[in-house]
Amino acid sequence: MSIETLEYLQRNILVGFTETRGNAWHYRVDLQGEESNHYPGPVPEEDVNRRLFDWEAVERPVLVEHSPGDVSVVPGFKAIVHGETGHLFTIARPSYVIHQYRTWLTEVLKTIVRESELRIGSAGVLRQGARAFVMIQTPQTLRSRSGLELQPQILAATSHDSSLATTYKLVSTFVVCDNTLAIALAEKTRSYKTKHSMKSWFRLGEAHSALNILASGSDLMVDFVDSLADVSVTDAQWQEIVERLLPIKDEHKGNIRQKMLNKREAIDAMYRNDQRCAPWTGTALGAFQAFNTHELHIAGPDRNRFDRNFSRVISRIGEKRDVSTIDVILTVARR
């Protein structure tokens, strides 16, 4: 579930809002030490800067040793290293500009909340400092007209090893490790990116404007949810939707046929009775919730659910599946 060790995650990932979200998957009481990395409310900005961003990346010349005592500088290159540990992040060209984490993550995010304090949901450094992220969320949960609650979040992420452009993105995934960061970055949502180039400093103002647009983009999420809730689905249409999305063919015999029937029954039960779906029974939103919730939380064995969902996001199988599901639902409902 992560290339990092559990010990590393306890020291280098800060997780907030545990009262409402619960603990991250990697939380271990025996590894917490004197200061927990989990917070019942938002993660304080000062803790992010003190515990994670209390160092900077620095440039160093690249040297080549021809023989003992005979060393020369390699022209046209520079090393980007951890300012305290000396860990090498990358060998870069002279045009590469370091985006310090405190400046490009917490300080830039503060421009969209103005006088309010940052409500940091999570923050972390990965790969010995090569990557970092900060995630903020709105002070209040948005409630659509249809009653579905949404918690808009803005992710800011960057790197010192040339693996990631500085990125600001509206996401739904709550980031608590390297895998969830990859999932969030793969979401097909509004984003703004700037490369580690000399021109990036001149684009800070542009980034500020883009963040304000991203913050307002949460309205689009609400509008999309409400647009599905506004489409009625009759019982007959619901049955047709189930049959189209879970077709039972003539060649389906024995156990295969029974598994398909069981899956139909399970999704129908969720559509009508599960609290994640039932409030919107009779709408396209309820129909989509039933199929999506079953796929993410019920289908397949629990032991590899996270890895399966992660791989589907990275391969965009999940996105294509959702688009296909919505297309069938709306085609039947609007006919």
Side-chain angles (χ1 to χ4, degrees), residues 47-56 82 84 101-102:
D47 280 17
V48 174
N49 290 331
R50 174 177 59 86
R51 301 179 67 177
L52 302 178
F53 301 160
D54 61 338
W55 58 275
E56 291 190 343
H82 192 297
E84 293 187 355
Y101 294 155
R102 186 181 298 205

Side-chain angles (χ1 to χ4, degrees), residues 11-129:
R11 297 193 308 270
N12 296 283
I13 303 291
L14 305 182
V15 181
F17 298 107
T18 58
E19 280 189 348
T20 54
R21 293 183 180 273
N23 295 333
W25 65 266
H26 50 70
Y27 177 79
R28 298 292 187 277
V29 175
D30 58 316
L31 298 178
Q32 288 298 292
E34 296 182 359
E35 192 172 12
S36 176
N37 71 324
H38 279 57
Y39 299 77
V43 180
E45 179 189 350
E46 56 269 25
D47 280 17
V48 174
N49 290 331
R50 174 177 59 86
R51 301 179 67 177
L52 302 178
F53 301 160
D54 61 338
W55 58 275
E56 291 190 343
V58 297
E59 299 179 2
R60 292 287 185 264
V62 177
L63 305 177
V64 59
E65 184 179 36
H66 305 286
S67 62
D70 182 12
V71 178
S72 64
V73 175
V74 178
F77 293 94
K78 59 186 177 182
I80 309 300
V81 304
H82 192 297
E84 293 187 355
T85 68
H87 175 72
L88 175 65
F89 294 131
T90 190
I91 302 297
R93 292 287 187 178
S95 59
Y96 181 90
V97 172
I98 296 174
H99 288 183
Q100 303 293 356
Y101 294 155
R102 186 181 298 205
T103 300
W104 285 85
L105 299 182
T106 54
E107 292 300 321
V108 171
L109 285 174
K110 286 171 69 173
T111 64
I112 68 168
V113 295
R114 296 181 176 87
E115 297 180 359
S116 302
E117 64 180 22
L118 285 178
R119 291 178 58 83
I120 299 175
S122 64
V125 290
L126 300 161
R127 302 180 184 178
Q128 300 185 64

Side-chain angles (χ1 to χ4, degrees), residues 210-269:
L211 277 169
N212 282 300
I213 294 173
L214 288 177
S216 63
S218 57
D219 293 336
L220 297 177
M221 298 167 61
V222 174
D223 291 342
F224 175 70
V225 166
D226 284 333
S227 71
L228 292 179
D230 288 340
V231 178
S232 297
V233 173
T234 67
D235 280 345
Q237 289 171 335
W238 166 243
Q239 291 303 321
E240 182 179 347
I241 289 169
V242 172
E243 291 171 4
R244 285 196 179 199
L245 291 173
L246 296 173
I248 298 178
K249 302 177 182 180
D250 293 338
E251 58 267 28
H252 289 162
K253 307 291 184 181
N255 290 337
I256 294 178
R257 184 180 183 84
Q258 190 57 52
K259 286 181 179 180
M260 294 295 292
L261 289 172
N262 291 343
K263 187 173 182 178
R264 283 185 176 186
E265 291 179 2
I267 291 178
D268 182 72

Side-chain angles (χ1 to χ4, degrees), residues 70-220:
D70 182 12
V71 178
S72 64
V73 175
V74 178
F77 293 94
K78 59 186 177 182
I80 309 300
V81 304
H82 192 297
E84 293 187 355
T85 68
H87 175 72
L88 175 65
F89 294 131
T90 190
I91 302 297
R93 292 287 187 178
S95 59
Y96 181 90
V97 172
I98 296 174
H99 288 183
Q100 303 293 356
Y101 294 155
R102 186 181 298 205
T103 300
W104 285 85
L105 299 182
T106 54
E107 292 300 321
V108 171
L109 285 174
K110 286 171 69 173
T111 64
I112 68 168
V113 295
R114 296 181 176 87
E115 297 180 359
S116 302
E117 64 180 22
L118 285 178
R119 291 178 58 83
I120 299 175
S122 64
V125 290
L126 300 161
R127 302 180 184 178
Q128 300 185 64
R131 281 190 172 193
F133 69 88
V134 174
M135 169 173 282
I136 65 171
Q137 61 186 56
T138 56
Q140 294 182 345
T141 300
L142 296 180
R143 181 182 291 272
S144 67
R145 289 186 290 102
S146 55
L148 187 67
E149 292 186 347
L150 301 171
Q151 185 72 68
Q153 303 168 124
I154 293 179
L155 170 68
T158 191
S159 71
H160 289 323
D161 63 355
S162 302
S163 65
L164 178 65
T166 298
T167 302
Y168 307 100
K169 188 178 182 71
L170 188 68
V171 299
S172 59
T173 302
F174 188 58
V175 179
V176 295
C177 63
D178 47 346
N179 281 356
T180 48
L181 176 61
I183 290 174
L185 291 172
E187 289 184 27
K188 193 175 181 181
T189 53
R190 284 187 173 186
S191 65
Y192 174 83
K193 298 181 180 182
T194 182
K195 296 180 179 180
H196 297 259
S197 67
M198 293 180 178
K199 294 182 179 180
S200 60
W201 289 109
F202 299 102
R203 300 184 68 186
L204 267 176
E206 185 179 325
H208 297 164
S209 300
L211 277 169
N212 282 300
I213 294 173
L214 288 177
S216 63
S218 57
D219 293 336
L220 297 177

Side-chain angles (χ1 to χ4, degrees), residues 248-317:
I248 298 178
K249 302 177 182 180
D250 293 338
E251 58 267 28
H252 289 162
K253 307 291 184 181
N255 290 337
I256 294 178
R257 184 180 183 84
Q258 190 57 52
K259 286 181 179 180
M260 294 295 292
L261 289 172
N262 291 343
K263 187 173 182 178
R264 283 185 176 186
E265 291 179 2
I267 291 178
D268 182 72
M270 295 188 74
Y271 175 69
R272 301 180 188 282
N273 304 312
D274 192 289
Q275 64 178 2
R276 292 166 292 186
C277 315
W280 303 280
T281 298
T283 70
L285 177 60
F288 174 72
Q289 283 284 94
F291 279 93
N292 185 257
T293 303
H294 183 275
E295 182 65 31
L296 292 177
H297 302 289
I298 305 298
D302 287 334
R303 65 180 179 274
N304 61 351
R305 184 175 307 284
F306 180 90
D307 291 335
R308 184 173 64 253
N309 289 341
F310 171 72
S311 65
R312 286 175 177 173
V313 170
I314 296 303
S315 65
R316 301 188 72 178
I317 292 176

Side-chain angles (χ1 to χ4, degrees), residues 4-12 31:
E4 310 288 4
T5 65
L6 289 174
E7 291 81 2
Y8 182 91
L9 293 172
Q10 312 301 311
R11 297 193 308 270
N12 296 283
L31 298 178

